[in-house]
Short mmCIF file of all heavy atoms in Angstrom, two decimals:
data_model
loop_
_atom_site.label_atom_id
_atom_site.label_comp_id
_atom_site.label_asym_id
_atom_site.label_seq_id
_atom_site.Cartn_x
_atom_site.Cartn_y
_atom_site.Cartn_z
N ALA A 272 -2.07 10.02 27.19
CA ALA A 272 -1.29 8.79 27.36
C ALA A 272 -0.06 9.04 28.23
O ALA A 272 0.27 8.26 29.12
CB ALA A 272 -0.87 8.26 25.98
N LEU A 273 0.58 10.17 27.98
CA LEU A 273 1.78 10.54 28.75
C LEU A 273 1.43 10.67 30.24
O LEU A 273 2.13 10.15 31.11
CB LEU A 273 2.33 11.86 28.22
CG LEU A 273 3.53 12.46 28.95
CD1 LEU A 273 4.75 11.57 28.81
CD2 LEU A 273 3.84 13.86 28.41
N ASN A 274 0.31 11.33 30.52
CA ASN A 274 -0.10 11.54 31.91
C ASN A 274 -0.52 10.26 32.60
O ASN A 274 -0.54 10.19 33.83
CB ASN A 274 -1.26 12.55 31.97
CG ASN A 274 -0.80 13.94 31.57
OD1 ASN A 274 0.38 14.24 31.64
ND2 ASN A 274 -1.73 14.78 31.14
N SER A 275 -0.88 9.24 31.80
CA SER A 275 -1.37 8.00 32.42
C SER A 275 -0.27 6.96 32.62
O SER A 275 -0.53 5.85 33.06
CB SER A 275 -2.49 7.40 31.56
OG SER A 275 -1.96 6.96 30.33
N LEU A 276 0.98 7.32 32.32
CA LEU A 276 2.07 6.35 32.48
C LEU A 276 2.32 6.03 33.95
O LEU A 276 2.25 6.90 34.81
CB LEU A 276 3.37 6.90 31.87
CG LEU A 276 3.52 6.85 30.35
CD1 LEU A 276 4.85 7.51 29.94
CD2 LEU A 276 3.46 5.42 29.82
N ALA A 277 2.64 4.78 34.20
CA ALA A 277 3.02 4.34 35.54
C ALA A 277 4.51 4.66 35.76
O ALA A 277 5.21 5.06 34.84
CB ALA A 277 2.79 2.84 35.66
N THR A 278 4.97 4.44 36.98
CA THR A 278 6.41 4.56 37.25
C THR A 278 7.17 3.59 36.33
O THR A 278 6.76 2.44 36.16
CB THR A 278 6.69 4.20 38.73
OG1 THR A 278 5.92 5.09 39.53
CG2 THR A 278 8.17 4.36 39.07
N LYS A 279 8.24 4.09 35.72
CA LYS A 279 9.03 3.34 34.72
C LYS A 279 8.22 2.97 33.47
O LYS A 279 8.57 2.04 32.75
CB LYS A 279 9.63 2.07 35.33
CG LYS A 279 10.62 2.34 36.46
CD LYS A 279 11.25 1.04 36.93
CE LYS A 279 12.17 1.27 38.11
NZ LYS A 279 12.65 0.02 38.68
N GLY A 280 7.13 3.70 33.23
CA GLY A 280 6.30 3.43 32.05
C GLY A 280 6.99 3.84 30.76
O GLY A 280 7.91 4.67 30.76
N ARG A 281 6.55 3.25 29.65
CA ARG A 281 7.14 3.53 28.34
C ARG A 281 6.05 3.89 27.35
O ARG A 281 5.06 3.18 27.22
CB ARG A 281 7.90 2.29 27.83
CG ARG A 281 9.12 1.96 28.64
CD ARG A 281 9.74 0.64 28.23
NE ARG A 281 8.86 -0.51 28.47
CZ ARG A 281 8.54 -0.98 29.67
NH1 ARG A 281 9.02 -0.39 30.75
NH2 ARG A 281 7.76 -2.02 29.81
N LEU A 282 6.25 4.99 26.65
CA LEU A 282 5.30 5.40 25.62
C LEU A 282 5.98 5.23 24.26
O LEU A 282 7.05 5.82 24.03
CB LEU A 282 4.88 6.86 25.86
CG LEU A 282 3.68 7.38 25.07
CD1 LEU A 282 3.05 8.56 25.81
CD2 LEU A 282 4.04 7.82 23.67
N ILE A 283 5.41 4.39 23.42
CA ILE A 283 5.99 4.15 22.08
C ILE A 283 5.17 4.92 21.06
O ILE A 283 3.98 4.70 20.90
CB ILE A 283 5.97 2.65 21.73
CG1 ILE A 283 6.70 1.82 22.80
CG2 ILE A 283 6.58 2.40 20.35
CD1 ILE A 283 6.52 0.32 22.65
#
Side-chain angles (χ1 to χ4, degrees):
L273 176 65
N274 292 338
S275 67
L276 283 177
T278 302
K279 297 185 184 172
R281 293 172 296 290
L282 192 156
I283 303 170

